Amino acid sequence: MNERVWQLLLDSFWQILLPGIRVTIPLTLVSFSLGLVIALLTAMVQVANIPVLKQMARIYVWIIRGTPLLVQLFLIFYGLPSVGIVLDAISAAIIVFSFNTGAYASETVRAAIEAVPAGQLEAGYCVGMNYLQIMARIVLPQALRTAFPPLSNSLIGLVKDTSLAANITVAEMFMSGQRIAARSLEVMAIYCEVAFVYLLFCTVLTKLQSYCEKRMKIY
């Protein structure tokens, strides 16, 4: 690469990184947090085997897992206005990413809960706990420790999936890279730089995952 390209990469680095810090990371954390709440409720409904709610939860997971994330974004942002519901781009992205994460993570949480020996549930009943107390004090702490690695992978995947929000006009990191590439015509160099920044974010999360897993093993 010539000197002009190197200078372009240096100048554009902060123009790509800052939207990542200001938009991509908050969008990821908010969506993932809401997704975990959805996942936990969905998983508990299925494990508790509540008749109607269990079927509704299965249908929700089936639809979300069976349709592309990009299509879901377009349906919410571009489709809902046709029925009178208008959302700004950030709100639409948070809704879609949250429900998408919730569907996938619910299967992880459900499997982790079912992996806890049934005898622990029975032991909780024997000491006078009700179902919710047993789940909160006995089952979920063990299940979430089992589910932590795959949930961490879901978080890392969500960081990368937020790049799809550029398609509904969210001014996140990938859109910033697109704009710089369009202005400079140095497409290869700029997109490689965007990929590097995503790799940087995911590497930090991977290190945090490794650290947390070690702490949980000690605990």
Side-chain angles (χ1 to χ4, degrees), residues 98-109:
S98 297
F99 278 94
N100 192 274
T101 298
Y104 283 94
S106 68
E107 292 299 283
T108 299
V109 175

Side-chain angles (χ1 to χ4, degrees), residues 17-182:
L17 181 65
L18 290 180
I21 296 173
R22 293 172 179 168
V23 181
T24 299
I25 295 301
L27 177 59
T28 300
L29 294 179
V30 171
S31 300
F32 189 74
S33 300
L34 293 174
L36 281 183
V37 174
I38 295 170
L40 188 59
L41 293 175
T42 304
M44 289 183 66
V45 163
Q46 294 183 74
V47 171
N49 203 23
I50 303 173
V52 178
L53 293 181
K54 180 179 180 179
Q55 277 70 39
M56 292 175 62
R58 294 307 301 165
I59 291 171
Y60 153 64
V61 173
W62 169 60
I63 292 174
I64 296 297
R65 294 174 68 191
T67 55
L69 178 55
L70 184 59
V71 174
Q72 295 167 19
L73 283 167
F74 274 57
L75 280 173
I76 296 299
F77 186 67
Y78 295 114
L80 287 183
S82 65
V83 295
I85 303 173
V86 180
L87 299 171
D88 61 85
I90 287 289
S91 298
I94 289 174
I95 290 171
V96 172
F97 290 139
S98 297
F99 278 94
N100 192 274
T101 298
Y104 283 94
S106 68
E107 292 299 283
T108 299
V109 175
R110 180 182 60 81
I113 291 174
E114 291 177 346
V116 177
Q120 306 226 9
L121 191 67
E122 296 169 0
Y125 283 125
C126 288
V127 297
M129 292 184 181
N130 59 38
Y131 180 76
L132 291 178
Q133 289 175 325
I134 293 170
M135 293 299 292
R137 299 179 183 180
I138 299 175
V139 177
L140 286 180
Q142 297 178 71
L144 292 178
R145 185 164 64 176
T146 303
F148 182 79
L151 289 177
S152 299
N153 290 335
S154 297
L155 175 60
I156 292 171
L158 183 57
V159 171
K160 296 175 288 184
D161 287 342
T162 56
S163 61
L164 294 174
N167 291 282
I168 60 168
T169 72
V170 176
E172 44 73 66
M173 188 163 62
F174 183 66
M175 177 176 278
S176 300
Q178 286 181 310
R179 290 172 175 172
I180 296 170

